[in-house]
């Protein structure tokens, strides 16, 4: 797709790595100007340097309101406006059984994964409303809708994003602002590499390991998710708001280990035809 946006302006949170970095690169390739916001300040500086004059970098902790506000202000000061807020920064966060949960870790997980998205929406809306246009996309996860694929705090935050997204979409619709979520399936990023192998750089090994969760097929790459975000931000998606775009190769709809989806139960006679159980 060659959707060149003639200098439209995006803030991407979590832009130092994985999905955020891929999205920042894709948008810049397509003519966007981008503010790269991430708690890994050096990494976003380096990526901005590689992208060139169309990029700015800022060290941002999305849980801190002044940081998120500053990222939005930088977009307006450097590039004149904000057309897309990609609220993407996230961490896997707290883990372990619920009865021994470390509540400080739970609170931190929520502060980054949910409060950070709330703040991103708040400050994007602050500058988008007066212009009467803009798009906000937040990154949720299958953990929002399926148990057992993320820890409890992560799952709750990602489910919270869905409620927040719909609620804010309703408020901002009359102001010409669309608000959507993207739901990546298992994606071969440093986050997953770290989880799967203990080494955030082991992407190739992670691709192999993730195949067990994706029916032997390749998992998503960060670029697959970037394409979905670019679509949601494009005029082609003008009628799409309050929507969750699932980019998971069927992961949430078709459990890879399901005998039903593989037709293996057919021989057992568990088939209903015209309301009658086949024999
Ligand atoms: N990888 C997957 O399989 C997958 C699946 C579903 C959803 N997601 C979500 O996608 C998003 C991006 O994840 P990824 O896989 O690219 O992981 P990643 O670890 O490669 O990238 C996440 C980025 O967020 C940044 N970050 C973390 N805490 C921050 C904070 N407080 N302030 C600012 N930046 C912060 C990190 O520094 C990192 O650059 C996350 O929200 C994640 O939950 C990932």
């Amino acid at each position: 797709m060659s959707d060149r946006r003639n200098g439209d302006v995006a803030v991407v949170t979590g832009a130092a790595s994985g999905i955020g970095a891929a999205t920042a690169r894709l948008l810049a390739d397509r003519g966007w100007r981008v503010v790269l916001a991430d708690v890994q300040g050096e990494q976003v500086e380096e990526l901005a340097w590689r992208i060139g004059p169309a990029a700015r970098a800022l060290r941002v902790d999305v849980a801190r309101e002044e940081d998120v506000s500053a990222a939005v202000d930088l977009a307006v000061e450097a590039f004149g406006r904000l057309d897309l807020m990609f609220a993407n920064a996230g961490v896997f966060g707290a883990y372990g059984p619920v009865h021994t949960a470390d509540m400080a870790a739970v609170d931190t997980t929520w502060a980054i994964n949910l409060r950070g998205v709330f703040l991103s929406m708040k400050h994007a809306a602050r500058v988008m409303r007066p212009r009467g246009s803009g798009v906000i996309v937040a990154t949720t996860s299958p953990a929002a809708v399926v148990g057992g694929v993320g820890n409890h705090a992560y799952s709750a935050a990602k489910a919270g994003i869905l409620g927040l997204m719909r609620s804010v979409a309703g408020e901002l619709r009359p102001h010409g602002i669309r608000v959507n979520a993207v739901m990546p399936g298992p994606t071969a990023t440093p986050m997953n590499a770290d989880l799967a192998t203990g080494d955030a750089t082991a992407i190739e090994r992670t691709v192999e390991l993730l195949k067990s969760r994706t029916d032997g097929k390749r998992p998503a790459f960060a670029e697959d998710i970037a394409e979905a975000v670019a679509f949601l931000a494009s005029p082609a998606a003008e009628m799409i708001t309050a929507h969750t775009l699932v980019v998971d190769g069927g992961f949430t709809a078709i459990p890879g280990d399901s005998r039903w989806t593989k037709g293996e139960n057919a021989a057992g006679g568990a088939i209903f035809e015209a309301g009658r159980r086949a024999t």
Side-chain angles (χ1 to χ4, degrees):
M1 191 173 103
S2 62
D3 172 39
R4 297 205 69 82
R5 298 306 308 280
N6 300 320
D8 277 0
V9 179
V11 168
V12 176
T13 74
S17 172
I19 292 165
T23 305
R25 282 193 301 265
L26 184 80
L27 293 173
D29 282 351
R30 294 192 179 158
W32 288 72
R33 294 171 291 169
V34 285
V35 171
L36 314 179
D38 201 290
V39 76
Q40 299 189 73
E42 280 179 24
Q43 283 85 340
V44 273
E45 287 287 350
E46 194 194 318
L47 181 55
W49 180 82
R50 276 191 272 135
I51 290 175
R56 296 284 187 282
L58 193 66
R59 187 194 179 281
V60 166
D61 176 350
V62 291
R64 290 167 52 95
E65 179 154 19
E66 58 270 41
D67 285 14
V68 178
S69 181
V72 168
D73 290 346
L74 176 59
V76 175
E77 282 158 25
F79 300 129
R81 60 181 194 268
L82 180 65
D83 301 290
L84 168 67
M85 166 59 77
F86 182 31
N88 165 74
V91 292
F92 198 68
Y95 61 94
V98 68
H99 71 283
T100 57
D102 171 348
M103 291 314 292
V106 169
D107 285 341
T108 302
T109 307
W110 287 340
I112 297 170
N113 290 359
L114 185 55
R115 178 182 159 84
V117 172
F118 196 113
L119 288 171
S120 301
M121 291 186 180
K122 172 179 174 176
H123 287 281
R126 168 168 65 79
V127 298
M128 288 175 176
R129 278 179 68 134
R131 296 189 70 241
S133 69
V135 179
I136 300 171
V137 179
T139 308
T140 180
S141 161
V145 292
V146 180
V149 298
N151 67 78
H152 310 306
Y154 182 85
S155 300
K158 294 298 186 182
I161 287 174
L162 296 181
L164 175 65
M165 176 275 288
R166 289 190 204 97
S167 183
V168 176
E171 182 197 309
L172 296 181
R173 181 170 58 171
H175 301 279
I177 301 163
R178 298 186 291 108
V179 187
N180 292 295
V182 66
M183 184 185 286
T187 308
T189 64
M191 174 192 273
N192 255 333
D194 193 27
L195 280 170
T197 71
D199 175 1
T201 65
I203 299 293
E204 278 179 30
R205 252 173 74 213
T206 304
V207 169
E208 289 308 309
L209 289 167
L210 286 178
K211 283 183 180 172
S212 67
R213 306 190 95 178
T214 53
D215 233 353
K217 304 295 179 200
R218 76 163 174 91
F221 295 110
E223 289 72 18
D224 295 305
I225 316 306
E227 287 284 358
V229 176
F231 165 69
L232 287 172
S234 76
E238 198 177 324
M239 286 304 292
I240 301 178
T241 193
H243 178 72
T244 303
L245 182 51
V246 181
V247 189
D248 72 347
F251 175 73
T252 42
I254 312 159
D257 61 357
S258 166
R259 289 174 302 150
W260 295 94
T261 58
K262 293 184 175 132
E264 286 168 13
N265 279 27
I271 299 170
F272 291 80
E273 280 175 15
R276 193 170 62 85
R277 191 177 194 280
T279 51

